[in-house]
Amino acid sequence: QVQLVESGGGLVQAGGSLRLSCAASGRTFSGYTMVWFRQAPGKEREFVAAITWSGSNTYYTDSVKGRFTISRDNAKSTVYLQMNSLKPEDTAVYYCAAKYSSQFFVTESSYNYWGQGTQVTVSS
């Protein structure tokens, strides 16, 4: 089992920044692709960003490209999501998820392990 705990959410004005963290525990962090999803009120959960085990491959949904950066520190078993130039439409609960794989997937059902989520609210 892998346990994931997100932190770093909060309330920020449009144009501001936040950095989310997702700390993993349990099994070794090695070999896991890590991703961030988000779910806005009344909407489906959507893929945001992914990073493979080595950190050499990242992938972003179009709406966050150039504004968000996913990274990981394998020594600390932690993945990060740096969010800059935030917009009100970025308001959502942000979840990290993990899958033991060398590849990444954009579908929610592909991931075995999930955190409890952290709320991000961007005011206009």
Side-chain angles (χ1 to χ4, degrees):
Q1 290 289 332
V2 174
Q3 291 79 42
L4 303 172
V5 179
E6 302 97 333
S7 61
L11 174 63
V12 64
Q13 289 188 332
S17 298
L18 284 174
R19 188 176 83 153
L20 305 183
S21 299
C22 173
S25 61
R27 289 188 176 179
T28 177
F29 202 48
S30 174
Y32 282 82
T33 283
M34 301 296 296
V35 299
W36 288 94
F37 279 74
R38 66 186 180 186
Q39 187 167 21
K43 294 190 176 181
E44 303 261 326
R45 195 173 296 188
E46 66 170 351
F47 171 83
V48 175
I51 187 166
T52 52
W53 154 244
S54 66
S56 59
N57 293 302
T58 58
Y59 185 74
Y60 301 90
T61 192
D62 285 346
S63 62
V64 308
K65 283 180 182 176
R67 301 188 298 122
F68 290 11
T69 303
I70 189 171
S71 62
R72 66 191 294 163
D73 184 339
N74 289 336
K76 295 182 178 180
S77 297
T78 300
V79 64
Y80 304 98
L81 186 67
Q82 178 66 45
M83 305 186 295
N84 298 329
S85 301
L86 282 161
K87 304 175 180 180
E89 52 263 44
D90 294 318
T91 295
V93 177
Y94 284 70
Y95 299 89
C96 69
K99 179 179 177 65
Y100 188 78
S101 175
S102 60
Q103 300 176 336
F104 56 81
F105 308 87
V106 299
T107 53
E108 183 180 351
S109 59
S110 299
Y111 295 89
N112 311 90
Y113 304 105
W114 290 85
Q116 81 290 349
T118 186
Q119 177 70 47
V120 172
T121 303
V122 184
S123 62
S124 57

